[in-house]
Each structure stands twice: as structure tokens, then as C-alpha cells.
mmCIF file of all heavy atoms in Angstrom:
data_model
loop_
_atom_site.group_PDB
_atom_site.id
_atom_site.type_symbol
_atom_site.label_atom_id
_atom_site.label_comp_id
_atom_site.label_asym_id
_atom_site.label_seq_id
_atom_site.Cartn_x
_atom_site.Cartn_y
_atom_site.Cartn_z
ATOM 1 N N PHE A 1 82.507 4.036 8.352
ATOM 2 C CA PHE A 1 81.586 5.077 8.795
ATOM 3 C C PHE A 1 80.488 5.298 7.758
ATOM 4 O O PHE A 1 79.315 5.487 8.115
ATOM 5 C CB PHE A 1 82.308 6.392 9.073
ATOM 6 C CG PHE A 1 81.410 7.417 9.704
ATOM 7 C CD1 PHE A 1 81.080 7.333 11.048
ATOM 8 C CD2 PHE A 1 80.847 8.425 8.944
ATOM 9 C CE1 PHE A 1 80.211 8.249 11.633
ATOM 10 C CE2 PHE A 1 79.986 9.353 9.515
ATOM 11 C CZ PHE A 1 79.663 9.265 10.861
ATOM 12 N N ASP A 2 80.835 5.262 6.497
ATOM 13 C CA ASP A 2 79.821 5.425 5.456
ATOM 14 C C ASP A 2 78.813 4.276 5.488
ATOM 15 O O ASP A 2 77.621 4.469 5.219
ATOM 16 C CB ASP A 2 80.484 5.506 4.078
ATOM 17 C CG ASP A 2 81.259 6.800 3.887
ATOM 18 O OD1 ASP A 2 80.900 7.808 4.527
ATOM 19 O OD2 ASP A 2 82.232 6.803 3.107
ATOM 20 N N GLU A 3 79.283 3.084 5.837
ATOM 21 C CA GLU A 3 78.374 1.940 5.954
ATOM 22 C C GLU A 3 77.405 2.144 7.115
ATOM 23 O O GLU A 3 76.223 1.776 7.027
ATOM 24 C CB GLU A 3 79.185 0.660 6.153
ATOM 25 C CG GLU A 3 80.044 0.287 4.949
ATOM 26 C CD GLU A 3 81.049 -0.815 5.262
ATOM 27 O OE1 GLU A 3 81.054 -1.304 6.414
ATOM 28 O OE2 GLU A 3 81.822 -1.173 4.356
ATOM 29 N N ARG A 4 77.884 2.744 8.178
ATOM 30 C CA ARG A 4 77.012 3.010 9.327
ATOM 31 C C ARG A 4 76.010 4.121 9.009
ATOM 32 O O ARG A 4 74.859 4.091 9.471
ATOM 33 C CB ARG A 4 77.859 3.355 10.556
ATOM 34 C CG ARG A 4 78.614 2.141 11.101
ATOM 35 C CD ARG A 4 79.564 2.488 12.227
ATOM 36 N NE ARG A 4 80.296 1.310 12.668
ATOM 37 C CZ ARG A 4 79.924 0.497 13.644
ATOM 38 N NH1 ARG A 4 78.796 0.739 14.300
ATOM 39 N NH2 ARG A 4 80.655 -0.557 13.974
ATOM 40 N N ARG A 5 76.414 5.098 8.228
ATOM 41 C CA ARG A 5 75.464 6.127 7.796
ATOM 42 C C ARG A 5 74.342 5.500 6.989
ATOM 43 O O ARG A 5 73.161 5.829 7.168
ATOM 44 C CB ARG A 5 76.174 7.186 6.949
ATOM 45 C CG ARG A 5 77.101 8.092 7.711
ATOM 46 C CD ARG A 5 77.449 9.336 6.894
ATOM 47 N NE ARG A 5 78.081 9.048 5.625
ATOM 48 C CZ ARG A 5 77.506 9.175 4.441
ATOM 49 N NH1 ARG A 5 76.248 9.573 4.330
ATOM 50 N NH2 ARG A 5 78.188 8.904 3.324
ATOM 51 N N ALA A 6 74.722 4.601 6.093
ATOM 52 C CA ALA A 6 73.712 3.926 5.271
ATOM 53 C C ALA A 6 72.788 3.080 6.143
ATOM 54 O O ALA A 6 71.570 2.998 5.881
ATOM 55 C CB ALA A 6 74.402 3.053 4.222
ATOM 56 N N ALA A 7 73.347 2.475 7.188
ATOM 57 C CA ALA A 7 72.525 1.677 8.103
ATOM 58 C C ALA A 7 71.512 2.548 8.819
ATOM 59 O O ALA A 7 70.346 2.165 8.986
ATOM 60 C CB ALA A 7 73.421 0.959 9.109
ATOM 61 N N ALA A 8 71.936 3.747 9.238
ATOM 62 C CA ALA A 8 71.009 4.662 9.905
ATOM 63 C C ALA A 8 69.869 5.051 8.969
ATOM 64 O O ALA A 8 68.702 5.168 9.400
ATOM 65 C CB ALA A 8 71.751 5.903 10.388
ATOM 66 N N ARG A 9 70.177 5.229 7.707
ATOM 67 C CA ARG A 9 69.135 5.564 6.733
ATOM 68 C C ARG A 9 68.149 4.406 6.574
ATOM 69 O O ARG A 9 66.924 4.622 6.510
ATOM 70 C CB ARG A 9 69.779 5.900 5.385
ATOM 71 C CG ARG A 9 68.782 6.280 4.282
ATOM 72 C CD ARG A 9 68.058 7.554 4.658
ATOM 73 N NE ARG A 9 67.089 7.982 3.682
ATOM 74 C CZ ARG A 9 67.284 8.978 2.816
ATOM 75 N NH1 ARG A 9 68.434 9.628 2.787
ATOM 76 N NH2 ARG A 9 66.350 9.336 1.987
ATOM 77 N N ARG A 10 68.657 3.179 6.557
ATOM 78 C CA ARG A 10 67.765 2.017 6.452
ATOM 79 C C ARG A 10 66.884 1.904 7.689
ATOM 80 O O ARG A 10 65.694 1.581 7.589
ATOM 81 C CB ARG A 10 68.580 0.735 6.255
ATOM 82 C CG ARG A 10 69.257 0.637 4.900
ATOM 83 C CD ARG A 10 69.766 -0.768 4.641
ATOM 84 N NE ARG A 10 70.826 -1.156 5.570
ATOM 85 C CZ ARG A 10 72.128 -0.940 5.362
ATOM 86 N NH1 ARG A 10 72.526 -0.322 4.255
ATOM 87 N NH2 ARG A 10 73.030 -1.338 6.238
ATOM 88 N N VAL A 11 67.453 2.162 8.846
ATOM 89 C CA VAL A 11 66.683 2.120 10.086
ATOM 90 C C VAL A 11 65.547 3.153 10.033
ATOM 91 O O VAL A 11 64.410 2.861 10.395
ATOM 92 C CB VAL A 11 67.601 2.382 11.298
ATOM 93 C CG1 VAL A 11 66.777 2.667 12.559
ATOM 94 C CG2 VAL A 11 68.519 1.188 11.531
ATOM 95 N N ALA A 12 65.859 4.349 9.584
ATOM 96 C CA ALA A 12 64.846 5.395 9.481
ATOM 97 C C ALA A 12 63.736 4.997 8.516
ATOM 98 O O ALA A 12 62.546 5.160 8.811
ATOM 99 C CB ALA A 12 65.496 6.704 9.035
ATOM 100 N N ASP A 13 64.131 4.472 7.368
ATOM 101 C CA ASP A 13 63.132 4.081 6.372
ATOM 102 C C ASP A 13 62.221 2.982 6.907
ATOM 103 O O ASP A 13 60.997 3.033 6.728
ATOM 104 C CB ASP A 13 63.832 3.606 5.095
ATOM 105 C CG ASP A 13 64.487 4.737 4.319
ATOM 106 O OD1 ASP A 13 64.174 5.913 4.609
ATOM 107 O OD2 ASP A 13 65.323 4.450 3.437
ATOM 108 N N ALA A 14 62.813 1.989 7.572
ATOM 109 C CA ALA A 14 62.024 0.870 8.094
ATOM 110 C C ALA A 14 61.052 1.334 9.177
ATOM 111 O O ALA A 14 59.942 0.801 9.299
ATOM 112 C CB ALA A 14 62.950 -0.213 8.641
ATOM 113 N N ALA A 15 61.462 2.329 9.963
ATOM 114 C CA ALA A 15 60.621 2.832 11.053
ATOM 115 C C ALA A 15 59.688 3.948 10.595
ATOM 116 O O ALA A 15 58.928 4.477 11.401
ATOM 117 C CB ALA A 15 61.501 3.337 12.189
ATOM 118 N N ARG A 16 59.762 4.309 9.317
ATOM 119 C CA ARG A 16 58.980 5.418 8.770
ATOM 120 C C ARG A 16 59.272 6.713 9.526
ATOM 121 O O ARG A 16 58.376 7.503 9.826
ATOM 122 C CB ARG A 16 57.488 5.092 8.787
ATOM 123 C CG ARG A 16 57.129 3.907 7.901
ATOM 124 C CD ARG A 16 55.646 3.641 7.865
ATOM 125 N NE ARG A 16 55.319 2.529 6.974
ATOM 126 C CZ ARG A 16 54.095 2.074 6.761
ATOM 127 N NH1 ARG A 16 53.065 2.662 7.367
ATOM 128 N NH2 ARG A 16 53.886 1.063 5.945
ATOM 129 N N ALA A 17 60.531 6.886 9.846
ATOM 130 C CA ALA A 17 60.970 8.078 10.558
ATOM 131 C C ALA A 17 61.365 9.173 9.571
ATOM 132 O O ALA A 17 61.779 8.889 8.436
ATOM 133 C CB ALA A 17 62.168 7.740 11.451
ATOM 134 N N THR A 18 61.262 10.405 9.998
ATOM 135 C CA THR A 18 61.793 11.513 9.224
ATOM 136 C C THR A 18 63.312 11.456 9.294
ATOM 137 O O THR A 18 63.881 11.374 10.385
ATOM 138 C CB THR A 18 61.306 12.858 9.787
ATOM 139 O OG1 THR A 18 59.877 12.902 9.705
ATOM 140 C CG2 THR A 18 61.905 14.030 9.020
ATOM 141 N N PHE A 19 63.965 11.480 8.153
ATOM 142 C CA PHE A 19 65.427 11.376 8.096
ATOM 143 C C PHE A 19 66.024 12.751 7.830
ATOM 144 O O PHE A 19 65.591 13.458 6.914
ATOM 145 C CB PHE A 19 65.842 10.405 6.990
ATOM 146 C CG PHE A 19 67.313 10.102 6.953
ATOM 147 C CD1 PHE A 19 67.902 9.338 7.943
ATOM 148 C CD2 PHE A 19 68.104 10.577 5.927
ATOM 149 C CE1 PHE A 19 69.261 9.053 7.917
ATOM 150 C CE2 PHE A 19 69.463 10.302 5.881
ATOM 151 C CZ PHE A 19 70.040 9.521 6.877
ATOM 152 N N VAL A 20 67.006 13.143 8.651
ATOM 153 C CA VAL A 20 67.663 14.432 8.499
ATOM 154 C C VAL A 20 69.077 14.179 7.988
ATOM 155 O O VAL A 20 69.955 13.733 8.733
ATOM 156 C CB VAL A 20 67.709 15.200 9.831
ATOM 157 C CG1 VAL A 20 68.340 16.571 9.634
ATOM 158 C CG2 VAL A 20 66.299 15.336 10.416
ATOM 159 N N PRO A 21 69.351 14.412 6.691
ATOM 160 C CA PRO A 21 70.621 14.041 6.055
ATOM 161 C C PRO A 21 71.739 15.055 6.329
ATOM 162 O O PRO A 21 71.910 16.025 5.592
ATOM 163 C CB PRO A 21 70.264 13.991 4.573
ATOM 164 C CG PRO A 21 69.177 15.020 4.431
ATOM 165 C CD PRO A 21 68.405 14.998 5.720
ATOM 166 N N LEU A 22 72.515 14.807 7.366
ATOM 167 C CA LEU A 22 73.512 15.777 7.803
ATOM 168 C C LEU A 22 74.841 15.684 7.064
ATOM 169 O O LEU A 22 75.536 16.697 6.912
ATOM 170 C CB LEU A 22 73.751 15.622 9.310
ATOM 171 C CG LEU A 22 72.540 15.917 10.197
ATOM 172 C CD1 LEU A 22 72.895 15.665 11.658
ATOM 173 C CD2 LEU A 22 72.054 17.338 9.992
ATOM 174 N N GLN A 23 75.234 14.491 6.627
ATOM 175 C CA GLN A 23 76.557 14.360 6.005
ATOM 176 C C GLN A 23 76.672 15.218 4.740
ATOM 177 O O GLN A 23 77.624 15.987 4.576
ATOM 178 C CB GLN A 23 76.855 12.900 5.661
ATOM 179 C CG GLN A 23 78.257 12.659 5.113
ATOM 180 C CD GLN A 23 79.339 12.883 6.152
ATOM 181 O OE1 GLN A 23 79.210 12.431 7.277
ATOM 182 N NE2 GLN A 23 80.405 13.569 5.785
ATOM 183 N N GLY A 24 75.719 15.086 3.853
ATOM 184 C CA GLY A 24 75.756 15.873 2.628
ATOM 185 C C GLY A 24 75.687 17.366 2.908
ATOM 186 O O GLY A 24 76.340 18.170 2.231
ATOM 187 N N MET A 25 74.909 17.742 3.909
ATOM 188 C CA MET A 25 74.813 19.158 4.263
ATOM 189 C C MET A 25 76.179 19.697 4.674
ATOM 190 O O MET A 25 76.606 20.760 4.206
ATOM 191 C CB MET A 25 73.821 19.340 5.410
ATOM 192 C CG MET A 25 73.669 20.787 5.866
ATOM 193 S SD MET A 25 72.806 20.966 7.459
ATOM 194 C CE MET A 25 74.141 20.504 8.593
ATOM 195 N N PHE A 26 76.876 18.972 5.554
ATOM 196 C CA PHE A 26 78.177 19.447 6.018
ATOM 197 C C PHE A 26 79.223 19.419 4.902
ATOM 198 O O PHE A 26 80.119 20.275 4.864
ATOM 199 C CB PHE A 26 78.650 18.628 7.217
ATOM 200 C CG PHE A 26 78.085 19.119 8.525
ATOM 201 C CD1 PHE A 26 77.172 18.352 9.232
ATOM 202 C CD2 PHE A 26 78.447 20.350 9.031
ATOM 203 C CE1 PHE A 26 76.654 18.802 10.435
ATOM 204 C CE2 PHE A 26 77.924 20.819 10.231
ATOM 205 C CZ PHE A 26 77.025 20.044 10.939
ATOM 206 N N GLU A 27 79.130 18.471 4.006
ATOM 207 C CA GLU A 27 80.069 18.450 2.883
ATOM 208 C C GLU A 27 79.851 19.653 1.974
ATOM 209 O O GLU A 27 80.813 20.253 1.484
ATOM 210 C CB GLU A 27 79.925 17.138 2.114
ATOM 211 C CG GLU A 27 80.458 15.937 2.891
ATOM 212 C CD GLU A 27 80.229 14.621 2.190
ATOM 213 O OE1 GLU A 27 79.563 14.612 1.120
ATOM 214 O OE2 GLU A 27 80.695 13.583 2.704
ATOM 215 N N ARG A 28 78.604 20.023 1.766
ATOM 216 C CA ARG A 28 78.327 21.222 0.961
ATOM 217 C C ARG A 28 78.812 22.472 1.675
ATOM 218 O O ARG A 28 79.401 23.368 1.058
ATOM 219 C CB ARG A 28 76.828 21.311 0.664
ATOM 220 C CG ARG A 28 76.325 20.267 -0.320
ATOM 221 C CD ARG A 28 74.903 20.555 -0.755
ATOM 222 N NE ARG A 28 73.955 20.470 0.344
ATOM 223 C CZ ARG A 28 73.372 19.348 0.743
ATOM 224 N NH1 ARG A 28 73.660 18.191 0.141
ATOM 225 N NH2 ARG A 28 72.501 19.350 1.733
ATOM 226 N N LEU A 29 78.567 22.541 2.967
ATOM 227 C CA LEU A 29 79.013 23.702 3.730
ATOM 228 C C LEU A 29 80.531 23.841 3.713
ATOM 229 O O LEU A 29 81.070 24.955 3.725
ATOM 230 C CB LEU A 29 78.528 23.599 5.183
ATOM 231 C CG LEU A 29 77.026 23.769 5.407
ATOM 232 C CD1 LEU A 29 76.668 23.387 6.832
ATOM 233 C CD2 LEU A 29 76.587 25.202 5.116
ATOM 234 N N SER A 30 81.231 22.717 3.649
ATOM 235 C CA SER A 30 82.693 22.739 3.675
ATOM 236 C C SER A 30 83.303 23.264 2.385
ATOM 237 O O SER A 30 84.518 23.456 2.307
ATOM 238 C CB SER A 30 83.226 21.335 3.984
ATOM 239 O OG SER A 30 82.856 20.946 5.290
ATOM 240 N N ARG A 31 82.476 23.514 1.384
ATOM 241 C CA ARG A 31 82.977 24.158 0.170
ATOM 242 C C ARG A 31 83.061 25.677 0.353
ATOM 243 O O ARG A 31 83.795 26.351 -0.375
ATOM 244 C CB ARG A 31 82.055 23.832 -1.013
ATOM 245 C CG ARG A 31 81.955 22.342 -1.326
ATOM 246 C CD ARG A 31 81.160 22.102 -2.606
ATOM 247 N NE ARG A 31 80.832 20.700 -2.758
ATOM 248 C CZ ARG A 31 79.592 20.210 -2.833
ATOM 249 N NH1 ARG A 31 78.562 21.045 -2.795
ATOM 250 N NH2 ARG A 31 79.374 18.915 -2.961
ATOM 251 N N SER A 32 82.304 26.203 1.323
ATOM 252 C CA SER A 32 82.300 27.646 1.549
ATOM 253 C C SER A 32 83.200 28.056 2.709
ATOM 254 O O SER A 32 83.585 29.227 2.814
ATOM 255 C CB SER A 32 80.870 28.134 1.824
ATOM 256 O OG SER A 32 80.340 27.512 2.977
ATOM 257 N N ALA A 33 83.520 27.127 3.586
ATOM 258 C CA ALA A 33 84.425 27.373 4.711
ATOM 259 C C ALA A 33 85.075 26.041 5.053
ATOM 260 O O ALA A 33 84.486 24.985 4.810
ATOM 261 C CB ALA A 33 83.667 27.934 5.905
ATOM 262 N N PRO A 34 86.286 26.033 5.631
ATOM 263 C CA PRO A 34 86.974 24.775 5.927
ATOM 264 C C PRO A 34 86.160 23.876 6.854
ATOM 265 O O PRO A 34 85.339 24.369 7.645
ATOM 266 C CB PRO A 34 88.264 25.250 6.626
ATOM 267 C CG PRO A 34 88.441 26.653 6.206
ATOM 268 C CD PRO A 34 87.056 27.213 6.024
ATOM 269 N N PRO A 35 86.371 22.563 6.781
ATOM 270 C CA PRO A 35 85.611 21.637 7.639
ATOM 271 C C PRO A 35 85.656 22.006 9.111
ATOM 272 O O PRO A 35 84.643 21.907 9.815
ATOM 273 C CB PRO A 35 86.284 20.286 7.373
ATOM 274 C CG PRO A 35 86.855 20.412 6.008
ATOM 275 C CD PRO A 35 87.294 21.842 5.882
ATOM 276 N N GLU A 36 86.841 22.451 9.590
ATOM 277 C CA GLU A 36 86.966 22.774 11.011
ATOM 278 C C GLU A 36 86.118 23.980 11.420
ATOM 279 O O GLU A 36 85.864 24.200 12.604
ATOM 280 C CB GLU A 36 88.432 23.020 11.384
ATOM 281 C CG GLU A 36 89.129 24.082 10.567
ATOM 282 C CD GLU A 36 89.824 23.538 9.332
ATOM 283 O OE1 GLU A 36 89.424 22.453 8.830
ATOM 284 O OE2 GLU A 36 90.780 24.201 8.873
ATOM 285 N N TYR A 37 85.666 24.767 10.459
ATOM 286 C CA TYR A 37 84.764 25.868 10.777
ATOM 287 C C TYR A 37 83.419 25.333 11.264
ATOM 288 O O TYR A 37 82.738 25.960 12.079
ATOM 289 C CB TYR A 37 84.558 26.750 9.540
ATOM 290 C CG TYR A 37 83.641 27.932 9.768
ATOM 291 C CD1 TYR A 37 84.132 29.111 10.323
ATOM 292 C CD2 TYR A 37 82.283 27.878 9.444
ATOM 293 C CE1 TYR A 37 83.295 30.204 10.539
ATOM 294 C CE2 TYR A 37 81.437 28.957 9.657
ATOM 295 C CZ TYR A 37 81.954 30.117 10.203
ATOM 296 O OH TYR A 37 81.125 31.193 10.432
ATOM 297 N N TRP A 38 83.034 24.158 10.771
ATOM 298 C CA TRP A 38 81.739 23.557 11.089
ATOM 299 C C TRP A 38 81.838 22.530 12.204
ATOM 300 O O TRP A 38 80.874 22.349 12.965
ATOM 301 C CB TRP A 38 81.151 22.920 9.828
ATOM 302 C CG TRP A 38 81.100 23.871 8.680
ATOM 303 C CD1 TRP A 38 81.933 23.899 7.592
ATOM 304 C CD2 TRP A 38 80.208 24.985 8.513
ATOM 305 N NE1 TRP A 38 81.611 24.942 6.762
ATOM 306 C CE2 TRP A 38 80.552 25.629 7.297
ATOM 307 C CE3 TRP A 38 79.148 25.479 9.267
ATOM 308 C CZ2 TRP A 38 79.862 26.743 6.830
ATOM 309 C CZ3 TRP A 38 78.472 26.603 8.804
ATOM 310 C CH2 TRP A 38 78.823 27.215 7.598
ATOM 311 N N ALA A 39 82.980 21.842 12.298
ATOM 312 C CA ALA A 39 83.199 20.848 13.359
ATOM 313 C C ALA A 39 84.693 20.826 13.629
ATOM 314 O O ALA A 39 85.459 20.227 12.863
ATOM 315 C CB ALA A 39 82.699 19.468 12.947
ATOM 316 N N ALA A 40 85.117 21.461 14.706
ATOM 317 C CA ALA A 40 86.540 21.718 14.932
ATOM 318 C C ALA A 40 87.384 20.453 14.958
ATOM 319 O O ALA A 40 88.501 20.430 14.440
ATOM 320 C CB ALA A 40 86.721 22.502 16.234
ATOM 321 N N ASP A 41 86.858 19.378 15.545
ATOM 322 C CA ASP A 41 87.609 18.120 15.607
ATOM 323 C C ASP A 41 87.103 17.097 14.608
ATOM 324 O O ASP A 41 87.485 15.934 14.646
ATOM 325 C CB ASP A 41 87.577 17.540 17.021
ATOM 326 C CG ASP A 41 86.159 17.193 17.487
ATOM 327 O OD1 ASP A 41 85.190 17.462 16.732
ATOM 328 O OD2 ASP A 41 86.012 16.654 18.601
ATOM 329 N N GLY A 42 86.220 17.527 13.717
ATOM 330 C CA GLY A 42 85.649 16.619 12.722
ATOM 331 C C GLY A 42 84.386 15.925 13.186
ATOM 332 O O GLY A 42 83.697 15.298 12.387
ATOM 333 N N VAL A 43 84.087 16.035 14.487
ATOM 334 C CA VAL A 43 82.935 15.332 15.066
ATOM 335 C C VAL A 43 81.970 16.294 15.750
ATOM 336 O O VAL A 43 80.774 16.297 15.470
ATOM 337 C CB VAL A 43 83.403 14.255 16.074
ATOM 338 C CG1 VAL A 43 82.205 13.634 16.799
ATOM 339 C CG2 VAL A 43 84.225 13.180 15.374
ATOM 340 N N HIS A 44 82.483 17.118 16.658
ATOM 341 C CA HIS A 44 81.627 17.999 17.459
ATOM 342 C C HIS A 44 81.421 19.339 16.751
ATOM 343 O O HIS A 44 82.387 20.041 16.478
ATOM 344 C CB HIS A 44 82.242 18.221 18.837
ATOM 345 C CG HIS A 44 82.375 16.961 19.630
ATOM 346 N ND1 HIS A 44 83.533 16.226 19.664
ATOM 347 C CD2 HIS A 44 81.470 16.306 20.393
ATOM 348 C CE1 HIS A 44 83.353 15.166 20.425
ATOM 349 N NE2 HIS A 44 82.109 15.183 20.876
ATOM 350 N N PRO A 45 80.193 19.694 16.464
ATOM 351 C CA PRO A 45 79.932 20.929 15.727
ATOM 352 C C PRO A 45 80.342 22.183 16.495
ATOM 353 O O PRO A 45 80.280 22.234 17.725
ATOM 354 C CB PRO A 45 78.413 20.902 15.513
ATOM 355 C CG PRO A 45 78.018 19.483 15.700
ATOM 356 C CD PRO A 45 78.953 18.941 16.725
ATOM 357 N N THR A 46 80.749 23.165 15.758
ATOM 358 C CA THR A 46 80.942 24.514 16.287
ATOM 359 C C THR A 46 79.570 25.185 16.403
ATOM 360 O O THR A 46 78.553 24.604 15.983
ATOM 361 C CB THR A 46 81.815 25.323 15.324
ATOM 362 O OG1 THR A 46 81.126 25.397 14.054
ATOM 363 C CG2 THR A 46 83.191 24.684 15.128
#
């Protein structure tokens, strides 16, 4: 999954797209509340 995240970043860079870095954001948020508070099943956001 981390390899696919990196691939998405390369795709964005090559297309000169604005990249919205969600993984790091959710990892930071998970320090203030449990992961399931932000995405109950780990995938779909609350």
C-alpha cells in the first residue's frame, strides 16, 4: 500500500497536479484520537 501511495504521488508530479497528502494527515490525527475515530474500518472516513 505504501508503494501505491508513492505511485500516486509520482503520477501527480508528472501531471503537474495539486497533491493532497492524506496519509500523513490521518497519522497525525491518530495521535489525538484513535484511528477508528477518523476511519472506523481503517478505510472509510467517519
Side-chain angles (χ1 to χ4, degrees):
F1 188 77
D2 290 333
E3 294 168 1
R4 289 174 182 268
R5 289 196 301 107
R9 181 64 181 257
R10 290 193 295 271
V11 167
D13 289 345
R16 297 183 178 179
T18 299
F19 187 70
V20 183
L22 297 177
Q23 185 68 45
M25 179 194 77
F26 276 112
E27 289 176 355
R28 289 190 296 274
L29 290 169
S30 295
R31 299 187 192 120
S32 61
E36 55 269 24
Y37 180 83
W38 307 104
D41 62 357
V43 173
H44 298 95
T46 61

